[in-house]
């Protein structure tokens, strides 16, 4: 079976050939743990989970290593810790923030049906590797020390900018480059910086006396090196990470190890908008995974995410969530009690073509049509193929048991309101019975009057 992936570095779809079939290696940039993950953060988590599952299908579960890091040292974390726990010493406050956020993140992504990666290294546990890389870069003339900082010298790497395909001048014009007295050139970036009193600090490299902490980019070079080696197969992340983060990871790793590439395939997922607009706290359309999970099962969120090809911009809408809910309701109903059988060749074919999930889902819909006609083969195949992309993981009973938090119904209250409404109807007080019907509707309850009496159901 031939897998093709679009590689951002070469700007083409290429046949995927692993360096070592017995250990296919993928690194994806993970979260900075300081706040609830939002729906934009969920996109790479789900996309690369599908790729992980596909690689495991092709090469065997034990032959794929997927590493997703956790950034637990960052200025945003420090700021959040000081703001949230002003009475605590900063280090303790930071630990509280990172531990809480870390746990929330894992609960959220598990609810989205994502497999745990093979390893989830934390930045603070790889400071030794970061210092070792920095020492190498200074020795090779790619980095320099200035005012207790260590900086990467962009001029020392002739093909810097190859991933972003931008010239130095364009990069300087396009990026909000921090002009700092310790920089020899504007695009030079921080590998290590001194810590202020109270901030997390480790012994510095290169004989610098002041304790310090790493820059952001160096952690991914250090952790991918430690867990996947100097060169590996796939490096993934959101398109917004291409520049400067991935460009700088490449610069660090290639210069430290004198290798022609850091990873053979650079895979990036596209942007996400909410109801046609850029998501931002200031716009009031900031959607966290946690909030979505109150109203929708994780698989509905997952399917909605996969309806758009991973490289395309994704427009996140409630309308799409409703459609996914209906789709999955139907699939669960059809496949209840059915054993998964053979995988559908069209689904596999679509996924192998640069992870074309919309096409794979279209094939699942075709299977559903066949299954609805009573074709049991199609039924088992629908279940097996949907499970390959992390859907139909629950039993039909579990699925039917999900109630959105906004629609958790107090049944005794419903019964009392219906009794009161029936009494009002009998007394021909229609104004009161309509008012009670509206009250029930506000609770998400639809009342049905039949000749056998009144029944009710939950509106979706
Ligand atoms: Zn990274």
């Amino acid at each position: 079976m031939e897998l093709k992936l679009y590689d951002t570095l070469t700007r083409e779809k290429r046949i995927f050939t692993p360096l070592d079939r017995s250990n296919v290696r993928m690194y994806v940039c993970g979260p900075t743990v300081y706040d609830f993950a939002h729906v934009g953060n969920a996109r790479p988590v789900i996309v690369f989970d599908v790729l992980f599952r596909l690689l495991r299908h092709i090469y065997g579960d034990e032959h794929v290593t997927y590493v997703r890091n956790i950034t637990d040292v960052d200025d945003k974390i420090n700021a959040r810790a000081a703001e949230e726990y002003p009475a605590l010493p900063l280090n303790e406050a930071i630990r509280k923030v990172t531990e809480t956020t870390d746990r929330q993140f894992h609960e959220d992504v598990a609810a989205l049906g994502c497999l745990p990666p093979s390893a989830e290294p934390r930045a603070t546990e790889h400071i030794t590797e970061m210092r070792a890389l920095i020492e190498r870069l200074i020795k090779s003339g790619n980095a320099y020390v200035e005012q207790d900082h260590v900086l990467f010298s962009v001029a020392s790497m002739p093909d810097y900018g190859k991933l972003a395909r931008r010239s130095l001048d364009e990069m300087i014009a396009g990026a909000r480059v921090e002009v700092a007295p310790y920089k020899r050139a504007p695009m030079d970036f921080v590998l290590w910086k001194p810590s202020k009193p109270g901030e997390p600090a480790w012994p510095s490299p290169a004989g610098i006396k002041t304790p310090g902490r790493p820059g952001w980019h160096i952690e991914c070079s250090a952790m991918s090196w430690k867990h996947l080696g100097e060169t590996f197969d796939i490096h993934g992340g959101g398109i917004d990470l291409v520049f400067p983060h991935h460009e700088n990871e490449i610069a660090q790793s290639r210069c430290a190890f004198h290798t022609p590439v850091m990873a053979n395939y650079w895979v990036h997922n596209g942007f996400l908008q909410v109801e046609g607009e850029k998501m931002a706290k200031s716009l009031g359309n900031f959607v966290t995974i946690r909030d979505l999970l109150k109203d929708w099962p994780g698989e509905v969120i997952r399917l909605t995410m996969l309806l758009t090809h991973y490289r395309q911009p994704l427009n996140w809408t409630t309308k799409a969530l409703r459609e996914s809910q209906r789709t999955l309701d139907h699939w669960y109903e059809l496949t209840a009690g059915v054993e998964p059988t053979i995988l559908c060749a069209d689904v596999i074919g679509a996924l192998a073509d640069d992870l074309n999930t919309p096409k794979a889902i279209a094939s699942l819909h075709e299977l559903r049509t066949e299954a609805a006609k009573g074709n049991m083969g199609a039924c088992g195949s629908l279940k097996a193929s949907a499970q390959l992309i992390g859907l139909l993981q629950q039993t039909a009973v579990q699925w039917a048991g999900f109630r959105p938090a906004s629609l958790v119904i107090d049944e005794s209250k419903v019964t009392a309101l219906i009794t009161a409404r029936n009494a009002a109807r009998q007394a021909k007080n229609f104004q009161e019975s309509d008012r009670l019907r509206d009250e029930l509707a506000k609770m998400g309850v639809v009342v049905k009057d039949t000749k056998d009496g009144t029944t009710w159901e939950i509106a979706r």
Side-chain angles (χ1 to χ4, degrees), residues 26-33 45 52 65-72 101-107 109-110 114-126 219 223-224 226-228:
M26 172 164 81
Y27 186 91
V28 175
C29 295
T32 301
V33 282
V45 173
F52 182 38
T65 308
Y66 169 26
V67 176
R68 184 181 64 208
N69 71 298
I70 288 176
T71 299
D72 58 355
T101 317
D102 190 285
R103 181 173 42 74
Q104 288 159 348
F105 175 76
H106 284 100
E107 287 166 3
V109 301
C114 297
L115 298 170
S118 323
E120 284 192 282
R122 283 164 171 73
T124 52
E125 290 164 6
H126 293 77
E219 68 174 75
M223 289 187 271
S224 60
K226 170 86 183 283
H227 295 271
L228 299 175

Side-chain angles (χ1 to χ4, degrees), residues 115-176:
L115 298 170
S118 323
E120 284 192 282
R122 283 164 171 73
T124 52
E125 290 164 6
H126 293 77
I127 302 288
T128 309
E129 287 80 5
M130 295 184 214
R131 272 200 304 258
L133 271 183
I134 291 169
E135 298 282 6
R136 276 176 184 239
L137 290 168
I138 293 171
K139 210 169 149 203
S140 62
N142 295 102
Y144 60 90
V145 178
E146 190 68 54
Q147 299 180 23
D148 288 348
H149 292 68
V150 185
L151 289 114
F152 186 92
S153 166
V154 163
S156 73
M157 186 187 190
D159 61 354
Y160 180 84
K162 205 173 156 193
L163 180 72
R165 295 219 175 159
R166 284 195 260 186
S167 70
L168 266 184
D169 288 344
E170 282 171 319
M171 287 188 269
I172 293 168
R176 256 177 265 160

Side-chain angles (χ1 to χ4, degrees), residues 27-30 69 216-217 219-221 235-236 241 245-246 249:
Y27 186 91
V28 175
C29 295
N69 71 298
W216 172 35
H217 315 301
E219 68 174 75
C220 287
S221 286
H235 193 311
L241 294 182
H245 185 52
H246 289 168
E249 281 187 32

Side-chain angles (χ1 to χ4, degrees), residues 41-266:
N41 303 131
R43 194 174 189 193
V45 173
I46 293 172
V47 162
F48 290 102
D49 179 69
V50 172
L51 181 54
F52 182 38
R53 286 169 184 270
L54 183 64
L55 292 169
R56 282 159 58 108
H57 170 70
I58 300 171
Y59 298 98
D61 290 2
E62 67 283 20
H63 298 302
V64 184
T65 308
Y66 169 26
V67 176
R68 184 181 64 208
N69 71 298
I70 288 176
T71 299
D72 58 355
V73 50
D74 187 273
D75 289 342
K76 286 195 281 270
I77 298 173
N78 300 350
R80 175 58 56 94
E83 182 189 303
E84 214 156 297
Y85 305 102
L88 289 181
L90 189 59
N91 272 329
E92 241 172 86
I94 286 170
R95 206 184 61 237
K96 267 189 185 287
V97 168
T98 55
E99 279 177 3
T100 310
T101 317
D102 190 285
R103 181 173 42 74
Q104 288 159 348
F105 175 76
H106 284 100
E107 287 166 3
D108 287 352
V109 301
L112 296 175
C114 297
L115 298 170
S118 323
E120 284 192 282
R122 283 164 171 73
T124 52
E125 290 164 6
H126 293 77
I127 302 288
T128 309
E129 287 80 5
M130 295 184 214
R131 272 200 304 258
L133 271 183
I134 291 169
E135 298 282 6
R136 276 176 184 239
L137 290 168
I138 293 171
K139 210 169 149 203
S140 62
N142 295 102
Y144 60 90
V145 178
E146 190 68 54
Q147 299 180 23
D148 288 348
H149 292 68
V150 185
L151 289 114
F152 186 92
S153 166
V154 163
S156 73
M157 186 187 190
D159 61 354
Y160 180 84
K162 205 173 156 193
L163 180 72
R165 295 219 175 159
R166 284 195 260 186
S167 70
L168 266 184
D169 288 344
E170 282 171 319
M171 287 188 269
I172 293 168
R176 256 177 265 160
V177 175
E178 192 196 344
V179 183
Y182 47 79
K183 282 189 186 181
R184 286 187 195 159
M187 289 309 295
D188 290 355
F189 58 90
V190 170
L191 301 174
W192 190 267
K193 58 186 169 186
S195 295
K196 295 187 194 85
E199 285 180 346
W202 291 267
S204 294
I208 298 168
K209 295 274 183 313
T210 318
R213 58 202 159 106
W216 172 35
H217 315 301
I218 194 75
E219 68 174 75
C220 287
S221 286
M223 289 187 271
S224 60
W225 171 39
K226 170 86 183 283
H227 295 271
L228 299 175
E230 295 179 0
T231 303
F232 49 95
D233 296 300
I234 300 168
H235 193 311
I239 191 84
D240 53 321
L241 294 182
V242 170
F243 185 81
H245 185 52
H246 289 168
E247 195 73 60
N248 292 349
E249 281 187 32
I250 291 173
Q252 295 161 161
S253 295
R254 281 187 48 206
C255 292
F257 306 124
H258 311 287
T259 47
V261 291
M262 178 186 186
N264 278 330
Y265 300 82
W266 286 83

Side-chain angles (χ1 to χ4, degrees), residues 39 272-279 285 287 314-317:
V39 63
L272 181 143
Q273 291 194 317
V274 172
E275 307 284 354
E277 288 198 63
K278 188 179 178 333
M279 183 170 61
N285 64 355
V287 186
L314 189 153
N315 185 22
W316 188 259
T317 65

